[in-house]
Amino acid sequence: PLVVALGRALRDHLGPLPPVVEVPTGSGETILALSWAYPGTRLVAVTHLDEHTDHHDGMPLWDVVRSRFEVRRADTGHTVQLCANLHT
């Protein structure tokens, strides 16, 4: 799939990542791609940084993002959900 290919390309470009990374997240494709490319890295989705990362409940991947990652709103600092399957 395209998102897996995106993850591979990001991994090739970015190299190693620290144990925890905050990822600007809008629709969710990038953080999902990174999660497949970096299974040992704890990724935190950060929304509401700008118009590209504003969240809307109707986004098709939102349920997947919310079920797999901690989600923080940049404009309030509010943590939307802490998930049991986070890499610690």
Side-chain angles (χ1 to χ4, degrees):
L2 183 60
V3 176
V4 174
L6 174 60
R8 288 184 187 129
L10 287 168
R11 183 183 59 220
D12 291 345
H13 179 74
L14 297 171
L17 293 180
V20 179
V21 176
E22 292 185 338
V23 180
T25 303
S27 57
E29 288 95 346
T30 302
I31 196 165
L32 287 171
L34 287 170
S35 73
W36 287 311
Y38 294 95
T41 299
R42 180 176 163 218
L43 303 173
V44 178
V46 181
T47 64
H48 295 85
L49 290 162
D50 57 28
E51 67 274 4
H52 303 291
T53 59
D54 282 352
H55 163 70
H56 306 284
D57 284 330
M59 293 176 161
L61 294 175
W62 184 244
D63 287 339
V64 176
V65 170
R66 195 174 57 187
S67 71
R68 292 189 53 150
F69 308 102
E70 177 182 346
V71 179
R72 287 192 200 137
R73 285 184 63 125
D75 58 346
T76 65
H78 176 71
T79 299
V80 176
Q81 179 176 0
L82 291 172
C83 300
N85 64 344
L86 289 174
H87 303 287
T88 54

